[in-house]
């Protein structure tokens, strides 16, 4: 099956450009997520860290 797909996709000229664009998009998205996480305040990180151990359900909703 993969040989058939490989032979079909060998002749697609725009596939290289499309994969390059998707790789750049993924890298930018990944960097944005990492920067966003690194900018979290310590209090927010502590809140998320202790979320499963909160004493009542009202802590989770807020």
């Amino acid at each position: 099956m993969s040989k058939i797909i490989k032979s079909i996709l060998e002749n697609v000229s725009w596939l290289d450009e499309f994969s390059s664009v998707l790789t750049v998009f993924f890298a930018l998205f990944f960097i944005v997520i990492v920067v966003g996480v690194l900018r979290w305040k310590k209090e927010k990180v502590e809140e998320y860290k202790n979320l499963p151990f909160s004493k009542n359900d009202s802590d989770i909703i807020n």
Side-chain angles (χ1 to χ4, degrees), residues 4-46:
I4 296 169
I5 294 173
K6 182 180 177 183
S7 66
I8 292 171
L9 294 179
E10 265 181 0
N11 299 328
V12 180
S13 61
W14 54 268
L15 195 59
D16 290 333
E17 296 170 7
F18 185 65
S19 64
S20 299
V21 169
L22 287 179
T23 302
V24 169
F25 178 72
F26 172 77
L28 290 174
F29 184 71
F30 184 76
I31 290 170
V32 166
I33 295 294
V34 168
V35 168
V37 168
L38 291 176
R39 294 184 70 200
W40 280 353
K41 296 194 182 295
K42 186 175 182 177
E43 295 83 23
K44 198 67 166 172
V45 173
E46 290 294 325

Side-chain angles (χ1 to χ4, degrees), residues 46-60:
E46 290 294 325
E47 179 184 337
Y48 288 141
K49 183 174 83 172
N50 294 323
L51 191 61
F53 303 114
S54 59
K55 294 179 183 169
N56 55 24
D57 291 337
S58 65
D59 291 343
I60 296 172

